[in-house]
């Protein structure tokens, strides 16, 4: 058996206290513990490959934690042996239907005498399958599966299961909320425990590719000094079945030859010198990183260089690079996220890429975000998925929560991803689904990672549920988000069934709850598009994501009277989205502009729905906090306190969102809430200087109730008393109090 140089390092941390969901603790059920100990006395591994060596090291680590006893090594023929390896490496690993497993699938078989386990076998056609099979076995044991019930046969639904890291050369992470880059470029070529644990975690959920650097790429990542630093990291990742990738700066020929005697001054894909430069550079990169899978490119988007700068198309640019990587059996993933103006950026990507269908080389994959805007809490599924029928495609999801609460809101995104994968692109009930399109030979799923160097890896303790669910959905696109949540909870916290159900209830409601108190009915962007994308700013996105007035709200994207976006889908979907009687309520304001008194299928008006969901959403977060509080004493004190504090902060920020959005719409429409009343207060102006008669403070007070109110405004400075101003404010009116 090969010995992995990374396996010993991975053994340094006790199995019971591993990172995130790789916690290997003895079961509380004494009968199950007895079964584990009887079934796993020994581990025998067959096959000469570092991935098998890592699989053996991991399962030994897991069994030591789960049973309290380190298993013996090697084949002896005794009962209670776990046998792992490739089917051609030992007669003990022969299985039926091995061809159906492919290069990454596996079979787990249990040989029993009655209920007594004689032998457990994890067999595969290739080392990667052995690794994935071992992690699946461990997952089953962590979730309380009895050894006699371990039989399983699995192969991944998707060929490419990729993480995209937006990690910068300076160690920062764009749209990262969990600290700095886990790759610690300055420390390379030394491999840290964190890097090895990253490889273990990602391999455990079936990830087989990782783009290490930001799509807004620095050309230095493919320069010789950086390649020398990256080489050991990439070699380590490969021993865990993870193909390393790099993001490219399209202007690299210009940047990296700037100090040459005869620098290249263009990145035109039709220029022979540019083509030769890329051919030589990719050969150099491949020599330094033999396991390299390919390159990810963001071009002509948000100021990035690209082929359009030279009058070429995206296909021209992608194909030039594809031909340079083809001799090395590499792939180019080319992002379709491009936009020029904000008139209606929903349709721009389709306008650019749809005419190019069929023009990309076979080793090019076009990577498209799940929706046509930018990872909003609710968007329609991107029409490009159903349009690019002659182009390899990858769907891009965002695990890091750029627009869905970042590290400040517990939002489990798997239910949203499930809807995206299940979307029938041909029309209601008419395939192929997005998942089926991504199952092609050169296609897959990419997720923008939420990992960082924070102790909890993801910025808040519940955020790792998204990391876990992404990998599991990429492996099995039919997986149920509820099942994945329960798996993750049991593996992470080791809770009993009732407590697991309580946490699962939080996770499964969290996405729609966040939608309730932020962006209603598919409206999308209600935070500043040029800022942090965290705080509410509905005024800042008027005309970009909504056209709210005193009469109504939404965005008319219909063919008949709007931007025509609804016509980018097949006719069956166009008919659904174009008609107010058939458009789904959750996408109403994405597709249509409607008056505030438009009635939804529930019977309530649009404005009342906005009020109701924002108030009820905040109350639901309070219920989340209460449910978590009920777990006191059943979750370790440190993580219990961290999650409790996070929910307290989430209640505060959810309240900020509620108040900002409700006040915005009341200010515009002056429509009263049927069930509630409130008072809105604003201090106009960018600055308020307190002190002196000339700096009196004007306070605007709005009465959002059905009757006149006497309202008093008072200023309480650190010293002195400015007094108060009392006003009679009619219903739905605004008055100004001047202090003092």
């Amino acid at each position: 058996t090969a010995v992995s140089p990374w396996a010993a390092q991975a053994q340094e941390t006790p199995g019971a206290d591993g990172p995130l969901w790789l916690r290997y603790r003895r079961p509380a059920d004494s009968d199950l513990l007895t079964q584990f100990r009887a079934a796993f006395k020994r581990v025998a591994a067959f096959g000469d490959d570092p991935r098998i060596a890592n699989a053996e090291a991991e399962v030994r680590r897991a069994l030591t934690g789960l049973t309290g006893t380190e298993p013996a090594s090697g084949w002896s023929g005794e009962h209670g042996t776990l046998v792992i390896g490739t089917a051609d490496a030992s007669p003990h690993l022969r299985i039926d239907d091995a061809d159906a497993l492919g290069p990454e699938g596996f079979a787990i078989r249990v040989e029993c005498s009655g209920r007594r386990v004689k032998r457990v076998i994890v067999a595969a056609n290739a080392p990667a399958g052995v690794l994935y099979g071992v992690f699946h076995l461990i997952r089953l044991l962590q979730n309380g599966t009895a050894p006699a019930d371990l039989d399983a046969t699995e192969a991944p639904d998707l060929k490419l299961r990729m993480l995209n890291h937006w990690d910068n050369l300076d160690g920062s992470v764009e749209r990262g909320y969990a600290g700095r880059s886990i790759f610690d470029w300055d420390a390379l070529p030394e491999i840290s425990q964190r890097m090895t644990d990253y490889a273990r975690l990602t391999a455990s959920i079936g990830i087989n590719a990782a783009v290490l650097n930001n799509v807004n790429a620095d050309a230095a990542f493919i320069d010789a000094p950086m390649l020398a630093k990256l080489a050991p990291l990439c070699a380590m990742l490969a021993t865990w079945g993870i193909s390393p990738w790099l993001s490219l700066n399209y202007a690299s020929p210009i940047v990296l030859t700037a100090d040459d005697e005869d620098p290249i001054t263009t990145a035109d894909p039709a220029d022979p010198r540019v083509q030769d430069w890329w051919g030589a550079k990719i050969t150099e990169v491949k020599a330094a990183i033999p396991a390299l899978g390919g390159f990810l490119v963001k071009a002509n988007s948000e100021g990035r260089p690209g082929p359009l700068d030279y009058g070429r198309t995206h296909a021209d640019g992608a194909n030039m690079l594809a031909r340079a990587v083809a001799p090395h059996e590499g792939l180019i993933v080319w992002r379709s996220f491009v936009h020029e103006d904000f008139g209606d950026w929903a349709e721009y990507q389709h306008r650019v890429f749809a005419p190019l269908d069929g023009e990309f080389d076979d080793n090019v994959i076009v990577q498209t975000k799940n929706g046509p805007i930018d990872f909003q809490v609710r968007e329609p599924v991107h029409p490009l998925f159903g349009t690019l029928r002659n182009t390899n495609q990858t769907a891009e999801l965002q695990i890091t929560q750029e627009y869905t609460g970042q590290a400040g809101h517990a939002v489990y995104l798997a239910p949203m991803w499930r809807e995206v994968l299940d979307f029938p692109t041909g029309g209601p009930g008419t395939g192929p689904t997005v998942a089926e399109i991504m199952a092609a030979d050169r296609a897959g799923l990419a997720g923008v990672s939420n990992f960082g160097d924070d102790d909890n890896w993801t910025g808040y303790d519940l955020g790792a549920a998204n990391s876990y669910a992404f990998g599991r959905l990429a492996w099995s696109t039919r997986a149920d988000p509820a099942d994945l949540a329960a798996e993750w909870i049991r593996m992470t916290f080791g809770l009993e069934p009732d407590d697991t159900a309580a946490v699962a209830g939080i996770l499964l409601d969290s996405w729609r709850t966040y939608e309730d108190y932020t962006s209603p009915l598919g409206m999308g962007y209600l935070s500043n598009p040029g800022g942090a994308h965290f705080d509410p700013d509905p005024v800042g996105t008027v005309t970009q994501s909504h056209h709210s007035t005193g009469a109504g709200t939404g965005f008319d994207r219909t063919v008949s009277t709007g931007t025509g976006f609804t016509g980018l889908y097949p006719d069956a979907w166009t008919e659904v989205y174009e008609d107010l009687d058939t458009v789904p309520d959750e996408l109403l304001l994405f597709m249509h502009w409607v008056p505030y008194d438009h009635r939804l299928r529930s019977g309530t008006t649009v404005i009342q729905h906005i009020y109701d969901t924002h108030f009820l959403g905040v109350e639901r977060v309070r219920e989340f906090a209460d449910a978590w509080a009920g777990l006191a004493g059943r979750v370790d004190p440190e993580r219990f306190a961290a999650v409790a504090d996070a929910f307290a902060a989430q209640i505060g920020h959810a309240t900020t969102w509620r108040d900002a959005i409700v006040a915005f719409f009341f200010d515009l429409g002056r429509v009263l809430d049927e069930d509630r009343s409130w008072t809105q207060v604003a201090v106009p102006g960018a600055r308020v200087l307190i002190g002196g008669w000339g700096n009196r403070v004007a306070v605007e007070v709005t009465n959002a109730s059905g009757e006149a109110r006497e309202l008093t405004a008072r200023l309480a400075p650190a010293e002195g008393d400015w007094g108060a101003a009392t006003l009679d404010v009619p219903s739905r009116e605004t008055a100004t109090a001047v202090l003092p």
Side-chain angles (χ1 to χ4, degrees):
T1 300
V3 177
S4 167
W6 318 110
Q9 185 181 32
Q11 289 277 14
E12 290 176 3
T13 303
D17 298 315
L20 299 179
W21 53 85
L22 297 183
R23 296 169 180 264
Y24 305 142
R25 301 190 176 188
R26 278 178 282 179
D29 183 332
S30 59
D31 181 59
L32 187 61
L33 177 59
T34 298
Q35 293 181 55
F36 282 3
R37 286 173 170 169
F40 300 110
K41 299 174 184 177
R42 176 177 294 274
V43 176
F46 295 92
D48 187 13
D49 188 276
R51 287 164 291 186
I52 296 176
N54 276 339
E56 180 184 9
E58 190 69 31
V59 78
R60 292 180 60 80
R61 175 193 187 107
L63 293 175
T64 300
L66 290 165
T67 68
T69 303
E70 184 176 358
S73 297
W75 174 258
S76 71
E78 68 178 300
H79 286 191
T81 299
L82 170 64
V83 188
I84 69 170
T86 52
D88 62 356
S90 168
H92 304 299
L93 291 162
R94 302 283 166 76
I95 54 172
D96 296 331
D97 301 324
D99 291 344
L101 300 178
E104 294 183 305
F106 58 84
I108 301 175
R109 297 290 181 264
V110 181
E111 298 177 13
C112 292
S113 176
R115 289 291 292 177
R116 183 185 178 195
V117 173
K118 296 168 57 179
R119 192 171 298 128
V120 177
I121 296 168
V122 179
N125 292 325
V130 177
L131 184 66
Y132 297 136
V134 161
F135 273 118
H136 187 73
L137 172 76
I138 293 170
R139 179 165 49 246
L140 292 174
L141 297 177
Q142 286 177 285
N143 279 275
T145 304
D149 299 325
L150 289 171
D151 266 35
T153 303
E154 290 201 9
D157 289 337
L158 307 182
K159 298 290 195 304
L160 186 62
R161 307 176 301 280
M162 174 186 282
L163 288 181
N164 289 180
H165 292 274
W166 288 359
D167 294 23
N168 297 313
L169 195 61
D170 64 2
S172 64
V173 181
E174 183 173 338
R175 306 304 178 186
Y177 311 105
R180 295 176 62 76
S181 171
I182 60 173
F183 299 124
D184 195 3
W185 314 118
D186 291 339
L188 291 175
E190 181 180 345
I191 304 300
S192 69
Q193 180 68 46
R194 186 73 157 200
M195 297 175 197
T196 302
D197 284 344
Y198 163 81
R200 295 172 57 217
L201 286 163
T202 51
S204 77
I205 52 176
I207 297 298
N208 66 355
V211 183
L212 304 182
N213 61 311
N214 194 356
V215 290
N216 295 315
D218 191 315
F221 273 97
I222 58 170
D223 205 7
M226 192 62 182
L227 292 176
K229 299 180 76 172
L230 288 171
L233 170 63
C234 294
M236 182 273 289
L237 293 174
T239 70
W240 291 93
I242 302 162
S243 172
W245 288 54
L246 294 173
S247 292
L248 292 180
N249 182 323
Y250 201 80
S252 291
I254 300 172
V255 176
L256 295 181
T257 68
D259 295 330
D260 292 359
E261 289 186 7
D262 184 18
I264 298 174
T265 58
T266 180
D268 185 349
D271 186 288
R273 194 174 175 208
V274 170
Q275 296 170 2
D276 291 344
W277 185 91
W278 275 115
K281 173 55 68 174
I282 287 171
T283 298
E284 177 191 356
V285 175
K286 185 68 175 179
I289 307 173
L292 186 82
F295 299 96
L296 175 64
V297 184
K298 174 180 178 178
N300 291 116
S301 175
E302 299 179 319
R304 304 302 298 174
L308 275 64
D309 300 340
Y310 307 97
R312 314 299 179 186
T313 69
H314 284 277
D316 294 332
N319 292 343
M320 181 272 292
L321 290 173
R323 289 158 196 170
V325 301
H328 309 285
E329 299 182 344
L331 299 173
I332 295 295
V333 172
W334 191 273
R335 294 177 90 231
S336 69
F337 179 67
V338 295
H339 56 83
E340 276 191 341
D341 59 60
F342 296 108
D344 181 13
W345 75 357
E347 56 81 34
Y348 182 71
Q349 296 166 51
H350 192 280
R351 185 184 349 142
V352 171
F353 278 85
L356 301 177
D357 187 30
E359 295 187 14
F360 292 94
D361 283 5
D362 191 49
N363 62 333
V364 175
I365 303 172
V366 172
Q367 180 167 300
T368 297
K369 293 185 178 184
N370 59 276
I373 301 296
D374 191 11
F375 298 131
Q376 300 302 296
V377 68
R378 174 78 67 175
E379 299 183 49
V381 172
H382 209 302
L384 274 178
F385 293 133
T387 300
L388 300 181
R389 299 185 179 187
N390 301 297
T391 301
N392 301 319
Q393 296 191 72
T394 290
E396 181 179 337
L397 307 177
Q398 194 176 50
I399 309 168
T400 190
Q401 296 171 225
E402 179 181 355
Y403 295 98
T404 50
Q406 300 178 11
H409 296 248
V411 180
Y412 178 54
L413 294 169
M416 177 173 71
W417 299 337
R418 169 83 278 140
E419 291 187 7
V420 172
L421 292 169
D422 287 344
F423 180 76
T425 59
T430 304
T433 65
V434 172
E436 289 168 341
I437 293 170
M438 299 308 135
D441 282 342
R442 287 185 170 173
L445 203 60
V448 183
S449 174
N450 61 346
F451 284 152
D453 69 354
D454 280 1
D455 288 345
N456 61 23
W457 288 77
T458 59
Y460 72 105
D461 288 88
L462 299 185
N466 287 323
S467 317
Y468 180 83
F470 171 80
R472 298 283 284 124
L473 275 170
W475 178 274
S476 175
T477 57
R478 298 151 293 174
D480 185 339
D483 293 340
L484 300 181
E487 284 178 9
W488 176 80
I489 293 162
R490 286 190 290 262
M491 296 163 71
T492 301
F493 296 108
L495 296 175
E496 294 299 315
D498 287 348
D499 296 332
T500 295
V503 181
I506 293 172
L507 293 178
L508 293 169
D509 283 355
S510 60
W511 166 48
R512 289 180 179 83
T513 296
Y514 183 82
E515 180 181 22
D516 282 347
Y517 62 74
T518 56
S519 181
L521 302 171
M523 185 175 288
Y525 253 126
L526 288 178
S527 58
N528 189 324
H533 303 162
F534 186 61
D535 292 323
D537 184 15
V539 175
T541 57
V542 171
T543 74
Q544 179 178 326
S545 67
H546 60 106
H547 295 93
S548 299
T549 68
T553 186
F555 198 127
D556 186 354
R557 291 186 167 98
T558 63
V559 173
S560 57
T561 58
T563 66
F565 173 80
T566 59
L568 303 182
Y569 292 88
D571 290 346
W573 277 122
T574 298
E575 292 174 6
V576 170
Y577 292 148
E578 185 81 2
D579 192 333
L580 277 173
D581 291 333
T582 55
V583 64
D585 282 347
E586 62 267 23
L587 292 174
L588 172 68
L589 299 184
F590 191 96
M591 304 293 187
H592 293 266
W593 188 96
V594 296
Y596 290 122
D597 61 0
H598 174 82
R599 291 201 176 271
L600 305 174
R601 288 180 176 80
S602 64
T604 192
T605 63
V606 164
I607 190 63
Q608 190 60 44
H609 175 88
I610 291 172
Y611 294 153
D612 288 345
T613 53
H614 281 80
F615 278 94
L616 294 175
V618 173
E619 292 310 306
R620 185 70 181 114
V621 180
R622 296 186 193 278
E623 293 172 3
F624 293 167
D626 291 343
W628 182 260
L631 300 176
R634 296 194 285 280
V635 175
D636 58 276
E638 182 177 354
R639 288 189 294 169
F640 176 81
V643 175
D645 289 346
F647 275 128
Q650 183 175 348
I651 291 169
H653 201 242
T655 302
T656 297
W657 266 95
R658 178 199 70 189
D659 293 351
I661 303 305
V662 164
F664 170 77
F665 282 106
F666 183 81
D667 272 342
L668 284 178
R670 300 291 164 142
V671 180
L672 294 173
D673 186 322
E674 297 171 0
D675 302 310
R676 309 166 191 86
S677 62
W678 59 85
T679 301
Q680 298 177 191
V681 179
V683 180
R687 293 183 179 84
V688 176
L689 179 62
I690 298 176
W693 184 258
N695 297 308
R696 291 178 294 179
V697 179
V699 179
E700 288 186 355
V701 182
T702 301
N703 177 9
S705 73
E707 56 188 24
R709 284 184 170 177
E710 182 180 89
L711 301 172
T712 299
R714 180 183 300 277
L715 179 66
E719 297 181 2
D721 183 4
W722 278 36
T726 299
L727 302 168
D728 290 320
V729 185
S731 170
R732 299 187 295 181
E733 296 294 330
T734 298
T736 301
V738 179
L739 301 174

